[in-house]
Amino acid sequence: MRPLHEAPNPDTQAVVQELLSAHGAYSPLELLLETSRLDYDDYRAWRRGERTTLDGALVHGANHTRTLVERAHAWARSLHLEAETVALYGTDDNAGAELTASMDIQLDELLHTQFRPAADRVQLDIFLDTSESRAAGEVVDALSTRNATAAESRLRRLTDLNPHHWAVNEADILIQALNASPPMTYAEALDRLDILERKWRPAACAVLHAGSRDFLTPLWRAIAEALDGAPFEAADPNHHASWAYLNGLDWGNVRRTVRSVPGHLGQPILLHRLAEAELRLRNRRTAIELWFALCRDAPEYFEEAIASAAFPDRALKNAWLAAQEEDLKPPITPTWFPAWVALKEPDMARAFAPRGGDSDSERAFDLMIALAVGGSDRQDIDNRRALQAIHPGLLQRYLDAVDA
């Protein structure tokens, strides 16, 4: 793990693999969005023509971004993926405008390059010149830019060529989504939420693949605005605005709507949403403190959450996986995990305040902080003895690290 004041250092190779698995292709823009190096609102403003380039929006600047993307491209090539140059187009009122990603010519070229398996290219080439394939591609292009009028016109052409083409039904569903008025009431929002999850999201994933996020995000946000202000019901946690804002990648409003719930720190699902929002807002220390609270107060929920492929902090997830490989007694369960992280990351431990809790795992965490901060020889000896009495395995790992 990197120091808490820096952005997380994700496993770039793992992110590339996940994007390939989810979308069948790897795009560097998706990498930047997934690793919080580019805020979605800045990306969306660029697609809509409100930003000339992405240069001022890259969290660590053009040079750092270029290095990251070059490494990801090298990894993609090592997987024998084929590179292809793609045009980047605007959306909404800027639909059809070709975009420049960066004034840095090399970075702009990198961001215009995506990778896909060679077998996919062969399959595409077989049908590349057919009228149906061209018509279907035009429908997809129009939907990708959220241009309902163009999509309707192009869908009519595709339907005339082949009314049974696989994309006809899904494209019609997505055109309905584009033409739908925003929900205005709580009841309308719940109905729209059901339609989005049952019909619109599957259709968008089938037709647009990675582009489904750009298509669906405004729809999620419209639902969130209609749900905003309604109380949280533990029996239906996804009927709360924070869920729709989370899917709409509106992290500031996720944080606001979670914090507005009385007793939100006692609701594990809200605590987890709040932690992800803080991470995406680049408050990683706060995010980890919230996940540590889950370890203490809702260990089963934390264990399920960190096992999910969608868990957003890959460095913390890797630390958890490493802990599960250890043969320690007691084993590193969620309640012991904060102490394990403090052991493995002393710089991180020094950033936290002691908990002052009564449980053995909380006392172990406080002792790991004290050992990381350091004190007099007498204090260190006392802290080691206290840790020995609580968890001999953790003490031994600490001594191994000191002697290394």
Side-chain angles (χ1 to χ4, degrees):
M1 276 177 226
R2 299 181 67 164
L4 290 178
H5 63 275
E6 299 182 15
N9 181 21
D11 184 342
T12 303
Q13 296 177 0
V15 178
V16 172
Q17 295 274 27
E18 288 173 11
L19 292 172
L20 284 168
S21 176
H23 308 304
Y26 155 67
S27 160
L29 286 171
E30 295 297 322
L31 172 68
L32 298 181
L33 289 164
E34 180 64 22
T35 59
S36 300
R37 286 173 166 84
L38 173 63
D39 286 338
Y40 180 76
D41 283 343
D42 289 328
Y43 165 80
R44 185 180 181 216
W46 171 66
R47 294 287 304 275
R48 297 172 68 174
E50 297 163 10
R51 301 184 67 100
T52 305
T53 70
L54 293 172
D55 287 332
L58 300 171
V59 172
H60 297 295
N63 291 338
H64 180 279
T65 301
R66 186 171 58 250
T67 300
L68 172 75
V69 174
E70 285 173 342
R71 290 174 179 169
H73 280 23
W75 172 247
R77 290 189 183 93
S78 76
L79 298 175
H80 306 292
L81 302 175
E82 286 195 0
E84 59 180 347
T85 300
V86 295
L88 302 172
Y89 292 105
T91 62
D92 301 283
D93 293 339
N94 198 39
E98 191 161 357
L99 304 176
T100 299
S102 175
M103 296 305 295
D104 180 318
I105 295 175
Q106 185 180 3
L107 177 57
D108 187 66
E109 181 179 340
L110 290 167
L111 294 177
H112 276 79
T113 304
Q114 72 175 18
F115 292 80
R116 65 175 63 251
D120 288 356
R121 178 69 61 82
V122 173
Q123 189 69 18
L124 287 171
D125 288 346
I126 294 173
F127 303 102
L128 186 60
D129 295 324
T130 69
S131 297
E132 285 183 24
S133 293
R134 288 196 300 273
E138 291 171 355
V139 173
V140 171
D141 289 343
L143 289 170
S144 296
T145 60
R146 309 191 85 255
N147 188 331
T149 301
E152 288 171 346
S153 173
R154 295 171 185 181
L155 180 59
R156 283 194 295 270
R157 179 170 179 267
L158 176 60
T159 304
D160 289 341
L161 290 169
N162 180 3
H164 304 294
H165 190 281
W166 69 268
V168 167
N169 184 60
E170 283 76 5
D172 185 58
I173 289 172
L174 297 182
I175 290 170
Q176 293 175 33
L178 289 177
N179 288 327
S181 300
M184 302 303 294
T185 66
Y186 181 77
E188 289 176 357
L190 292 185
D191 182 62
R192 188 64 53 82
L193 180 65
D194 175 68
I195 294 172
L196 188 154
E197 294 188 318
R198 184 168 44 84
K199 296 178 62 177
W200 294 352
R201 180 156 59 180
C205 291
V207 174
L208 302 175
H209 304 293
S212 63
R213 182 208 54 239
D214 292 340
F215 185 92
L216 294 170
T217 294
L219 303 174
W220 278 111
R221 292 188 176 192
I223 292 170
E225 290 173 5
L227 293 174
D228 208 327
F232 172 77
E233 300 290 345
D236 294 302
N238 290 353
H239 290 178
H240 189 247
S242 62
W243 171 244
Y245 278 128
L246 185 147
N247 283 279
L249 309 180
D250 189 340
W251 306 112
N253 275 322
V254 174
R255 177 168 62 184
R256 176 184 60 81
T257 53
V258 168
R259 286 178 172 177
S260 70
V261 176
H264 65 275
L265 294 178
Q267 295 288 343
I269 194 167
L270 292 182
L271 203 59
H272 185 36
R273 289 175 188 174
L274 181 58
E276 179 166 3
E278 295 291 358
L279 179 73
R280 302 297 187 182
L281 293 167
R282 292 184 289 283
N283 300 319
R284 188 166 183 252
R285 174 180 172 178
T286 301
I288 291 178
E289 288 176 326
L290 291 167
W291 277 313
F292 281 179
L294 273 179
C295 289
R296 178 187 67 239
D297 300 331
E300 292 181 357
Y301 184 95
F302 175 82
E303 190 163 8
E304 181 178 346
I306 203 167
S308 168
F311 191 81
D313 192 318
R314 288 174 177 79
L316 196 66
K317 184 182 183 76
N318 289 340
W320 169 257
L321 294 174
Q324 303 315 295
E325 297 296 320
E326 291 287 332
D327 183 20
L328 297 179
K329 294 182 180 179
I332 303 301
T333 58
T335 54
W336 291 101
F337 185 54
W340 170 263
V341 174
L343 164 67
K344 291 298 183 179
E345 301 294 336
D347 288 342
M348 178 180 290
R350 285 188 281 271
F352 288 115
R355 287 182 174 175
D358 295 328
S359 70
D360 284 349
S361 58
E362 289 174 302
R363 290 173 58 213
F365 178 72
D366 289 353
L367 289 167
M368 293 310 312
I369 292 175
L371 289 168
V373 171
S376 67
D377 289 345
R378 180 73 262 167
Q379 288 172 324
D380 276 354
I381 291 171
D382 288 344
N383 289 332
R384 292 183 187 192
R385 285 176 175 169
L387 186 59
Q388 168 72 23
I390 295 171
H391 199 303
L394 281 175
L395 176 64
Q396 187 57 54
R397 292 296 185 271
Y398 169 77
L399 296 175
D400 292 344
V402 169
D403 293 338

